[in-house]
Amino acid sequence: MSTNIDRYNRKISYLRVSITDRCNLRCIYCTPSETFKLLRQFDILSYEEVIRVIEAAVTFGIKKIRLTGGEPLVRRNVIHLIRAISQRSGVEDFSITTNGVFLKPLAQAIFKAGVRRINVSLDTLNPLKYVKITRRNCFRKVWEGISLAERIGFRPIRLNVVVMRGLNDDEILQFADLSIRKPYQIRFIEYMPLGVDNNWTPQKYVSSDEIKSRLESMAPLYPVTPEKNDGPALRYRFASAKGEIGLIRPLSHHFCATCNRLRLTAEGKLRPCLFSDKEVDLKTPLRRGCSQQDLIDLFRKAIGLKPKKYDLKRFQVQESQLIMRRIGG
Ligand code: SAM
């Protein structure tokens, strides 16, 4: 049996790598307030350590890597790391998730470093509402960054939209229209009860079924045939659209049976499931001089901890301190 297959017969081939808990936005569903505790620089894995982990991951069987955060593009010399990962043989699919604030100055260098796939979190197309959601006035920068990424040739460009009733659900059709005019995959994500004081209430949650029926009120949606590295999004398209729609349904239809991912937190812990508090520490062994084989064994240990499926109720009680910034959204 291959070493990257877990006890529920899931092949674990995807690693999300958070390289910082810092972020230049303060989104209301992710960050509690202006003042919160950040990791000390020393506690965050260095680029050399991240690369060692990625090398072990690839030997273990990881083929897809996504850089995330916090906001990955705020970390100093991030292009150096992007280039190093991009050049690593065995990484078949490498992408970045960003809030887009630094996309304009960095897009060209990211593309040159070999990255073609990019996800940008953008919950509104309204600059004033953007300030309300992110507590920062950066809509224009983000929009210009996305437009530049499109001109440079990034494909696919995915825009991730967390849908919150009463806040941005009135923009579902505007985003849908964007998917017709632009070659973007608009991915509607169900709002999850994650984080400290993240304002989640059942009333603000909009299910993907509701999102889909609202989209269908505009025009018929046609399913798009899934591809190998798609992940959990269900893909659709409007007739003659340049782009697509994606629906990500972590609450209404959990995708545990096909979950192929592990997360590496900024402080060097492997997290087998977003909704479980179990983690495997890689930083301490790394700093004590462990071998690559030791790291591979720790990957094996981590997939041994992957639950069959998550129990959100139990999780909420146990881990009210979970923060996406640290774990990586
Ligand atoms: N800074 C990068 C970005 O903006 O894409 C990296 C990810 S960052 C932690 C924030 C992303 O995590 C959000 O855009 C969203 O996609 C996801 N996220 C965070 N909290 C969430 C929540 N409560 N429900 C759904 N998605 C959430």
Side-chain angles (χ1 to χ4, degrees), residues 29 68-71 97-99 121 162 189-192 198 324 329:
Y29 54 78
T68 181
E71 169 50 37
T97 289
T98 172
N99 58 31
S121 297
V162 177
I189 303 175
E190 287 177 348
Y191 184 18
M192 296 184 279
N198 90 332
M324 286 293 258

Side-chain angles (χ1 to χ4, degrees), residues 273-288:
C273 170
L274 180 59
F275 299 105
S276 152
D277 53 358
K278 295 206 166 73
E279 292 180 329
V280 173
D281 177 25
L282 300 189
K283 186 175 64 189
T284 311
L286 268 169
R287 295 187 180 175
R288 286 189 183 148

Side-chain angles (χ1 to χ4, degrees), residues 90-205:
V91 180
E92 291 176 6
D93 182 327
F94 176 39
S95 54
I96 299 175
T97 289
T98 172
N99 58 31
V101 174
F102 286 164
L103 198 50
K104 198 174 167 195
L106 292 176
Q108 196 75 59
I110 296 172
F111 193 82
K112 220 170 140 200
V115 178
R116 297 292 175 269
R117 305 165 69 86
I118 201 141
N119 286 13
V120 183
S121 297
L122 184 66
D123 301 321
T124 177
L125 298 170
N126 174 330
L128 289 178
K129 207 188 285 179
Y130 186 92
V131 177
K132 196 168 166 192
I133 295 175
T134 67
R135 303 183 178 115
R136 294 290 183 271
N137 187 5
C138 294
F139 178 82
R140 212 179 138 157
K141 280 187 190 160
V142 176
W143 190 251
E144 288 175 359
I146 294 168
S147 306
L148 179 63
E150 181 192 338
R151 287 199 299 282
I152 291 174
F154 282 90
R155 297 292 185 276
I157 296 174
R158 291 167 166 173
L159 304 191
N160 288 340
V161 185
V162 177
V163 181
M164 293 160 280
R165 196 183 307 282
L167 192 53
N168 63 350
D169 66 318
D170 58 335
E171 293 188 60
I172 290 174
L173 298 188
Q174 251 175 286
F175 274 109
D177 181 56
L178 190 62
S179 86
I180 296 175
R181 292 183 287 110
K182 290 283 191 181
Y184 306 155
Q185 188 188 104
I186 309 294
R187 306 205 314 168
F188 295 106
I189 303 175
E190 287 177 348
Y191 184 18
M192 296 184 279
L194 287 172
V196 191
D197 304 331
N198 90 332
N199 295 307
W200 191 91
T201 62
Q203 292 73 28
K204 289 185 193 156
Y205 162 76

